[in-house]
Amino acid sequence: MDAELLSQVLFAAIKTGTPLLLIALGEVICEKSGVLNLGQEGMMLMGAVVGFLAAYTSGSVGLGVLGAIIIGMFMSLIFAFLVLHLGANQVATGLALTIFGTGLSAFVGSGVVGQTVQGFQPIVIPLLSDIPFIGHILFTHDLLVYLSFALAALVSYVATKTRIGLVIKAVGENPHAANAIGIKVLRVRYCAVMFGGAMAGLSGAYMSLVYTPMWIENMTSGRGWIALALVVFASWRVGRIMLGAYLFGLASIMHLVLQGMGWNISPNLLAMLPYVATVVVMVIISADHFKEKLLAPRSLGKPFDPRQMA
Amino acid sequence: MKLKSLLLGLGLVAGLSAAHAEDPFKVGFVYVGPVGDHGWSYEHNRGREELEKHFEGKVKTTYVENVAEGADAERVITQLAKSGNDLIFTTSFGYMNPTLKVAKRFPKTTFEHATGYKRAKNLGTYALRTYEGRYVSGVAAGMMTKTNKIGYIGSFPIPEVFRDINSAYMAAKTVNPNVEFKIVWVNSWYDPGKETDAANALMDQGVDVLLQHTDSPAPLIAAEKRGMRAVGQASDMSHFAPNAHIFSVRDDWAPYYIKTTEAVMDGTYKPADFWGGFKDDMLSISSINDNLPADVKAKIQATYDDVRSGKISPFTGPIKNNEGKVVVAKGHTLTDTELAQVNWYVEGITDAIPQ
Amino acid sequence: MIRVQARIEQSTLMKITSPILAIVLTLIFGSILFSAIGKDPIQAMQVLLIAPLSDMYNIGEMFVKMGPLLLCAVGLSLCYRANLWNIGAEGQLLMGALGGSAAALAFIDSTSSFALPITLICGIASGMFWAAIPTYLKLKFNSNLILTTIMFNYIALYLLLWAVHGPLRDPQGYGFPESALFSDITTLPILFDEGRIHLGVVFAIIAAVGAWVLLNKSHIGFQIRVFGQDEPAARYAGFNGKKISWIVMLFAGALAGLAGVSEVTGPIGQLIPSVSPGYGYSAIIVAYLGRLHPLGALLSATFMAVLYMGGDLAQIEIGVPTAVVGMFQGVLLFFLLACDFFIRYRVSFISNNSPIQE
C-alpha cells in the first residue's frame, strides 16, 4: 500500500468514524450520569429523517442540523421522563425507543424517499491542508467533521476539567451522596440524557446530510449499537472514544480496501474483522485494568428516587 | 363499552362503507425490505401501484413489507392466501421454499415467486435479465474510463451477481481491451453507508467508473463528490448525481404484474419460468446523461438496440473462464436454467470466486 | 393536589391492573393514531391485538413465534437476575442454528433415530460455546460483557453467512445461499395435524418452568438471586461468583442455541441467511416485560408474539404500513413500562387543606 492510498484510507476512516464519534460522545455523558439508553438507533434515525426533511423543505443544511438536534432531544425526553420520573426499566425503555423511532422515522420520511439535497461541501483549510500526508487526512473534510473534532475536545474538557463534569460523575457513581450534598440528581440526569439525544440527532443528520445526502428507511444500519459498544470499549473515557471511533471506521473499510487490492478471502470472513479486532483490543485494554475497580459508572442503569432513602 | 362511546364522542369512529359493486380480484405482495428502500422492494411496489391503476378498481392489492425470509415468511404468505388473495407475488429469493409449502396447501390460489427455480401446478417463477442492462453498462463504462479501472460493488457472491459481472466485463472488453475490473463485496443488498465506503475504497485505488449490484444511490453520490462516473441501478437515479450519472438501468415489474394478473383473471394462466428483459420492457435504459460524448451516447443506444433485438446475446460461446476452461461451448447460448447457475468468472477477470 | 408515595410493599393489585391500564391507554393512543391515518380505529385494534388469536391456525402460529422469544428470554432473565449484561442471545441463537444445521446436513442420508437428538445437542452446544467465550473473557480479563456479546452477535452473523455461502451451501441449489432441505429424520415433529406447532415450542415451555424451579426451589437459584441483589452480601456468604456466572451464561447460551436449532429443524427446515428476525434482541424486551421472571417471560413472550403477528395482519387486512405498526408497538411498550410506576407508588388525590409532603 503506497502513501497516497494510505492517506486516502485514513481520510475515509475519519469520515466513517465520525457518525460513531458523534453519537458515542453523547452516550458517554449519558452513561457517566448513570443512565443507560439503548434507544440510540431510534434517536439517530429520527435525527436523520428530520434533518433531511428540514434541509429539503428549507433548502438550508444548517436548519437541517438544527432540526435533527431538536428531534433527538425530544426523543430522549420521552425516554428520560419514563426512566427518571416513572422509574421504568432503562434497558427495556431504550429498546422500546428504538422500535418507536424506527417506525416513526419511516412514517414521517415516506414522502421524501428517493429525494436528495445538496449536502455539506468539503472545506479545505488553507495552509493546514498543505501539510504533507496528514494535511489531506485531517483538513479537507466538511463542516460537521470539524465540528466533531471540536465537540470531542469540548466534551473531554467538560468531563474531566470542570465542575459540571464532577457533578455528572458524582451522580453516576453515587446518586444518594450527590443528593445529600444538594445536587439535583434527576435534573443532572435529564440534562445528560438530552445531551445524548442531541448528539444522536446530530449523528443522524451526518448520515442523511453528509455521508449519503438522502433519506432511506433504516439508513443507520446498526451504528447506534456499535456506538454503545464504543463507549464501553473506551472505558468511559472521552479521549479514547475518538480513537475507538476512527479505529472502528478504519477496520470497517479495511476489508473493502483489501478486497479491491485483490485479497481473495471470503468477504463474509473479512467483514468480521472490525468486530474481532474490537474484542481483541478490548481484552488487551481490560486485562490491563484487571486489578483496578470496574470502570463503568457504579450506578449505571439503576434508577434513583429522591423520595427513597438509600 | 365506555371506550367506544368515548371514541364516538371524540368523533373518531369512521363509518365503514358497505358499497360493493362486485368483489374485486385480490392480489397480494410480499416484500423483503421496506417500500421506502428506493431499491428492490420500492420497485416491486411501484409495479404493484401500476397494476392497481391499470385495472381501475377491478383489482385490489395488498402488500406486506419487511417480511424476514425465515419462519415468518410462510405465515405471512399463508395469511395472504387465507384472507382471499387470488394471486400472490413473493418477491425475494428466500421466499422460495415457504411459497412452495403454502402453494401446496392452497391449490386454488396462484403463486408467483421472483428469482427462484421451484415450480408447481399453481406456482410460477419470474426474473429479470439484469445481465442485459449490465452489458450496456459495461460498454458505457469501458468507453468512459480513463484509468481503465472499473469498480463493481457486489452484494452477495451468488450466481446472479457473478453472471452480471461477467456480462459487464465482456461488454467493456469489446470497446476497451485494456480494461480491468475491481470487485468489492459489501454483504448487503442495501446499506448506503457501506456502499459509500465501498465506492470510496474503489476510487482510492484508481477506479473512475462504478457499477453496482446494490440498491441504494450512495455509490452515485460518492462518485459525484469526486468527479467520477457511475451507472444507476434498479430505478432512475439521475437526480442524485447530475454530473456523475451515465444512465440508469431501470427495473420495471409492472408489465409482468399486469400480464400475469390478466392471465389468472381470464383463466389462461400457466405456471412458467419467465425471464423479462429489454424486449419485454421490464428493463430499460433511462436518463442517458447529456454530458456524455456523442460517440458514447450513440454506442449506448446501438448496444441497447442490439441486445433488445437479440443480435447481441452476451452468453454465447465460446467463453472461457479465468482458469482457462471452456464454460460455454462454441455456438451454444446459455439457457435460462444455466444462466441461473453461473459460478465462474470469464477470462480476464483477475479475481477469484469467493469460497 | 396529587400526592405520590412510595409503597412499602409492591402492590399485588397493581401488578395485575397496571398492564390493563397500559393497554387502555394504548387503545386510546392507537385510536387517535389510526384515525389520523384514516383507518377505522376499532377495526385496527381488533386486527392488531385480537385477530392473531382468532382461529386455530393463528393461535398455532402464535406459539411458533413465541418459542424462540421465550427460550432466549428465559436465559436472559437469569443472566439479568445475576447482573450479567448479556446482549448476546442473538449470536448464540445463530450459532445454535449453524451448529445444528451442520449436524442435520451430516445426517441427511441417515436413518438413525439418534440423528435428531444429536442435531439438537449440537445446536445447544454451539450456543453454549458462543456464550462461553465472552464469559471467559469477562472472568479472565475483566472484559465488559455488553461489548463482547454485541460484537459476538455480529461475528456469529458473518460466520453463518460464510457457512451458508460456502461449505453448507446446497450443491444442487443453483449456487443460492441456502443449505439443502433437511431430511425428515432431523426435522422436529409437528404436534398437531393443522399448522406448524413443533416440539420446539414444548421445549420452550419446559425451559420456562424449569428455570422457575431452578430459580426458586434450588440452592443455586437462591445464590443467583442473592448475588444479583447484593453482591457484597453474596461474597460474604461465601458464594462463588465465578461459578454462578458460568452457570447462568451457559444456561442462557444453551437455551438460545436450542431456539436456533429448533427454528432450522422446525418451521424453516434448512439453513438460510436470515434465520432470525432479531429474536435475540426482542427477547431482551420480553425478559424485562416479564419482570425477569421465567413464568412472566411466558406471558410477555406470548404478548410480543401476538404483537408481531398483529403487525403483519394489520398490513394484510387493513393496509397499515409497517412504520405505523412500529410506532404503535413502541408506544404500547412505553405505556407498559410506565405503568409499573403504580406498582411501586401510591398516587392519591388529596384536598388542598391537608399538609403537603415533599
Side-chain angles (χ1 to χ4, degrees):
Chain A
M1 195 183 285
D2 56 22
E4 170 65 17
L5 179 58
L6 186 64
S7 105
Q8 289 288 13
V9 166
L10 293 175
F11 173 84
I14 289 182
K15 260 193 132 40
T16 312
T18 299
L20 299 172
L21 171 64
L22 288 170
I23 194 165
L25 283 176
E27 174 68 5
V28 73
I29 292 295
C30 182
E31 287 189 24
K32 269 184 178 294
S33 79
V35 183
L36 178 66
N37 183 353
L38 297 187
Q40 303 297 324
E41 189 80 5
M43 297 190 297
M44 193 174 172
L45 277 167
M46 282 308 290
V49 71
V50 170
F52 183 84
L53 270 170
Y56 181 74
T57 47
S58 71
S60 147
V61 278
L63 277 178
V65 170
L66 194 66
I69 291 173
I70 291 169
I71 195 73
M73 288 169 90
F74 174 75
M75 293 289 285
S76 65
L77 196 60
I78 299 175
F79 172 84
F81 176 72
L82 286 166
V83 302
L84 298 176
H85 249 94
L86 301 183
N89 177 283
Q90 294 181 7
V91 174
T93 308
L95 288 165
L97 186 69
T98 287
I99 294 177
F100 176 69
T102 307
L104 184 59
S105 64
F107 183 67
V108 295
S110 58
V112 288
V113 165
Q115 300 300 333
T116 181
V117 292
Q118 196 54 9
F120 283 95
Q121 295 308 311
I123 302 168
V124 176
I125 298 183
L127 297 178
L128 286 177
S129 60
D130 298 331
I131 303 170
F133 196 66
I134 58 167
H136 169 64
I137 296 170
L138 292 175
F139 303 113
T140 57
H141 287 280
D142 44 68
L143 191 62
L144 285 192
V145 176
Y146 298 133
L147 182 67
S148 74
F149 294 165
L151 281 167
L154 183 72
V155 170
S156 180
Y157 173 75
V158 169
T160 53
K161 301 270 190 293
T162 64
R163 187 176 170 276
I164 299 175
L166 274 177
V167 167
I168 293 172
K169 197 170 151 75
V171 166
E173 292 290 341
N174 194 339
H176 291 286
N179 189 46
I181 58 168
I183 296 173
K184 295 264 187 283
V185 172
L186 290 189
R187 190 179 299 173
V188 173
R189 287 189 172 178
Y190 258 107
C191 292
V193 170
M194 285 178 59
F195 177 72
M199 292 301 283
L202 180 60
S203 174
Y206 182 87
M207 292 301 295
S208 68
L209 296 175
V210 177
Y211 213 78
T212 47
M214 60 183 167
W215 162 251
I216 303 187
E217 272 185 49
N218 253 334
M219 69 187 294
T220 53
S221 31
R223 282 173 182 76
W225 290 98
I226 299 292
L228 216 62
L230 257 183
V231 172
V232 182
F233 173 84
S235 26
W236 293 269
R237 291 179 199 175
V238 180
R240 276 201 195 154
I241 287 185
M242 200 160 182
L243 181 70
Y246 297 150
L247 276 178
F248 199 89
L250 180 67
S252 64
I253 54 173
M254 215 46 226
H255 80 97
L256 300 166
V257 175
L258 291 176
Q259 287 185 51
M261 290 167 76
W263 278 47
N264 190 36
I265 299 175
S266 156
N268 292 310
L269 295 180
L270 278 175
M272 280 181 211
L273 272 181
Y275 308 105
V276 177
T278 308
V279 171
V280 170
V281 176
M282 180 73 210
V283 167
I284 294 166
I285 291 176
S286 58
D288 230 21
H289 293 294
F290 197 41
K291 296 286 180 281
E292 280 183 42
K293 64 175 175 24
L294 272 180
L295 293 148
R298 247 177 315 183
S299 297
L300 185 59
K302 296 191 182 115
F304 169 77
D305 179 4
R307 289 175 291 251
Q308 281 176 323
M309 285 317 296
Chain B
M1 189 64 204
K2 238 181 167 159
L3 177 70
K4 194 161 179 179
S5 59
L6 171 82
L7 294 176
L8 279 168
L10 291 169
L12 295 175
V13 182
L16 276 174
S17 71
H20 278 302
E22 55 174 281
D23 272 351
F25 184 83
K26 289 175 77 180
V27 185
F29 289 80
V30 186
Y31 304 140
V32 71
V35 292
D37 67 0
H38 207 266
W40 181 254
S41 294
Y42 175 87
E43 284 302 323
H44 281 285
N45 197 48
R46 230 169 32 95
R48 179 192 66 83
E49 286 168 350
E50 296 274 313
L51 169 72
E52 228 174 31
K53 234 187 353 239
H54 177 87
F55 285 100
E56 297 167 331
K58 286 206 272 302
V59 167
K60 182 181 176 305
T61 63
T62 304
Y63 69 88
V64 190
E65 50 181 339
N66 262 339
V67 178
E69 298 171 304
D72 287 344
E74 190 182 333
R75 183 186 73 242
V76 168
I77 300 165
T78 303
Q79 281 163 340
L80 277 170
K82 273 174 61 189
S83 76
N85 284 288
D86 309 280
L87 167 61
I88 296 168
F89 291 99
T90 58
T91 62
S92 180
F93 173 78
Y95 300 147
M96 180 168 66
N97 289 313
T99 309
L100 186 65
K101 284 182 195 165
V102 182
K104 280 185 180 145
R105 284 209 313 273
F106 291 88
K108 288 196 174 65
T109 309
T110 308
F111 295 83
E112 279 276 320
H113 172 233
T115 72
Y117 55 84
K118 292 186 180 175
R119 281 167 292 280
K121 278 205 286 289
N122 56 335
L123 166 62
T125 50
Y126 60 107
L128 280 177
R129 300 191 184 279
T130 46
Y131 62 91
E132 293 185 345
R134 244 24 108 179
Y135 193 89
V136 183
S137 310
V139 167
M143 289 179 86
M144 291 305 295
T145 178
K146 297 186 183 68
T147 59
N148 292 333
K149 287 188 180 130
I150 293 170
Y152 198 105
I153 300 171
S155 45
F156 288 100
I158 57 171
E160 176 196 317
V161 186
F162 299 145
R163 184 184 69 218
D164 285 17
I165 290 173
N166 290 331
S167 178
Y169 180 78
M170 290 188 289
K173 267 289 212 232
T174 60
V175 291
N176 182 347
N178 301 321
V179 83
E180 150 186 14
F181 265 39
K182 281 187 181 291
I183 303 157
V184 165
W185 302 95
V186 293
N187 294 308
S188 168
W189 284 108
Y190 162 81
D191 179 343
K194 241 184 184 169
E195 291 171 58
T196 301
D197 292 341
N200 284 320
L202 285 163
M203 290 187 285
D204 289 341
Q205 297 183 33
V207 161
D208 64 348
V209 182
L210 291 169
L211 303 177
Q212 58 177 100
H213 213 119
T214 50
D215 290 336
S216 95
L220 267 161
I221 293 172
E224 180 83 5
K225 274 191 179 164
R226 295 173 64 162
M228 307 293 177
R229 307 296 302 223
V231 173
Q233 154 87 347
S235 57
D236 190 320
M237 294 183 174
S238 53
H239 61 292
F240 285 102
N243 303 307
H245 185 257
I246 296 176
F247 57 73
S248 286
V249 181
R250 252 189 64 190
D251 301 351
D252 191 356
W253 300 95
Y256 186 72
Y257 288 152
I258 290 167
K259 189 178 76 174
T260 310
T261 305
E262 208 139 41
V264 177
M265 282 165 91
D266 60 26
T268 57
Y269 172 84
K270 290 266 185 306
D273 183 22
F274 181 83
W275 287 54
F278 284 155
K279 73 171 171 30
D280 315 279
D281 291 323
M282 285 170 67
L283 271 183
S284 60
I285 300 293
S286 76
S287 305
I288 299 175
N289 202 330
D290 263 345
N291 68 11
L292 295 173
D295 63 324
V296 178
K297 277 191 236 176
K299 185 75 183 170
I300 289 170
Q301 191 57 50
T303 312
Y304 169 80
D305 291 339
D306 287 350
V307 174
R308 187 183 170 107
S309 68
K311 197 168 141 193
I312 292 178
S313 145
F315 289 96
T316 299
I319 297 173
K320 278 187 186 162
N321 71 6
N322 64 357
E323 290 157 3
K325 195 168 136 245
V326 175
V327 279
V328 186
K330 191 171 180 335
H332 177 66
T333 301
L334 288 187
T335 63
D336 292 353
T337 311
E338 289 167 333
L339 280 171
Q341 301 180 63
V342 170
N343 218 344
W344 35 262
Y345 283 141
V346 293
E347 196 173 24
I349 295 180
T350 50
D351 219 318
I353 295 280
Q355 289 307 341
Chain C
M1 249 341 267
I2 297 175
R3 189 171 72 180
V4 177
Q5 279 178 305
R7 296 180 192 270
I8 310 296
E9 282 285 304
Q10 295 202 339
S11 157
T12 315
L13 172 72
M14 270 300 176
K15 269 189 184 166
I16 298 160
T17 51
S18 95
I20 295 170
L21 179 67
I23 287 173
V24 170
L25 285 171
T26 310
L27 289 176
I28 296 169
F29 165 83
S31 305
I32 297 168
L33 175 72
F34 289 109
S35 304
I37 60 165
K39 304 285 176 197
D40 175 4
I42 305 278
Q43 192 192 6
M45 294 302 143
Q46 194 270 331
V47 169
L48 274 163
L49 301 170
I50 300 163
L53 303 172
S54 59
D55 61 21
M56 282 321 287
Y57 175 80
N58 283 346
I59 290 173
E61 285 298 305
M62 192 278 296
F63 278 108
V64 171
K65 186 88 188 162
M66 180 199 83
L69 285 172
L70 180 57
L71 279 167
C72 293
V74 167
L76 291 179
S77 297
L78 254 58
C79 289
Y80 300 156
R81 278 288 182 98
N83 272 338
L84 287 162
W85 298 81
N86 174 9
I87 314 283
E90 181 77 4
Q92 291 147 25
L93 180 144
L94 293 176
M95 289 307 283
L98 180 56
S101 297
L105 291 167
F107 286 120
I108 207 135
D109 301 320
S110 158
T111 51
S112 160
S113 53
F114 291 110
L116 183 59
I118 291 174
T119 299
L120 292 175
I121 288 166
C122 281
I124 292 169
S126 307
M128 286 169 90
F129 168 67
W130 212 242
I133 305 170
T135 311
Y136 174 78
L137 294 178
K138 178 182 166 57
L139 297 178
K140 176 95 178 128
F141 299 110
N142 202 21
S143 303
N144 183 292
L145 202 60
I146 296 181
L147 177 120
T148 45
T149 48
I150 290 179
M151 292 296 134
F152 270 73
N153 288 345
Y154 287 103
I155 298 169
L157 176 65
Y158 286 116
L159 264 179
L160 182 130
L161 283 176
W162 165 78
V164 86
H165 279 271
L168 299 186
R169 195 168 60 183
D170 180 7
Q172 273 85 50
Y174 286 57
F176 279 103
E178 289 189 344
S179 79
L181 288 166
F182 301 159
S183 75
D184 289 347
I185 199 97
T186 51
T187 302
L188 286 173
I190 302 281
L191 304 184
F192 303 99
D193 296 343
E194 270 298 296
R196 296 195 291 170
I197 298 191
H198 53 90
L199 198 57
V201 178
V202 178
F203 294 153
I205 294 166
I206 292 172
V209 176
W212 179 78
V213 172
L214 174 82
L215 201 58
N216 293 301
K217 307 287 175 204
S218 76
H219 184 56
I220 191 76
F222 173 71
Q223 289 187 11
I224 292 169
R225 282 177 308 167
V226 174
F227 200 82
Q229 277 162 357
D230 193 351
E231 200 174 326
R235 292 201 190 287
Y236 184 73
F239 295 168
N240 180 344
K242 279 195 173 177
K243 188 174 118 186
I244 292 170
S245 299
W246 275 114
I247 289 173
V248 291
M249 283 299 287
L250 289 178
F251 185 74
L255 292 189
L258 179 59
V261 69
S262 299
E263 281 298 282
V264 291
T265 56
I268 300 176
Q270 64 186 137
L271 184 65
I272 53 172
S274 48
V275 171
S276 163
Y279 288 130
Y281 295 113
S282 307
I284 300 172
I285 302 184
V286 171
Y288 278 106
L289 276 184
R291 306 217 160 87
L292 305 188
H293 189 294
L295 299 182
L298 192 63
L299 283 177
S300 58
T302 306
F303 175 75
M304 285 293 276
V306 167
L307 207 54
Y308 282 123
M309 284 177 61
D312 294 337
L313 283 168
Q315 293 186 72
I316 294 170
E317 301 298 340
I318 47 179
V320 176
T322 41
V324 178
V325 171
M327 282 155 67
F328 178 80
Q329 290 169 342
V331 170
L332 174 52
L333 293 169
F334 286 153
F335 283 134
L336 275 172
L337 294 161
C339 285
D340 280 5
F341 181 69
F342 297 104
I343 298 173
R344 287 189 305 271
Y345 297 100
R346 176 180 290 114
V347 180
S348 46
F349 294 89
I350 49 176
S351 60
N352 274 343
N353 50 15
S354 62
I356 298 166
Q357 291 184 333
E358 212 359 80

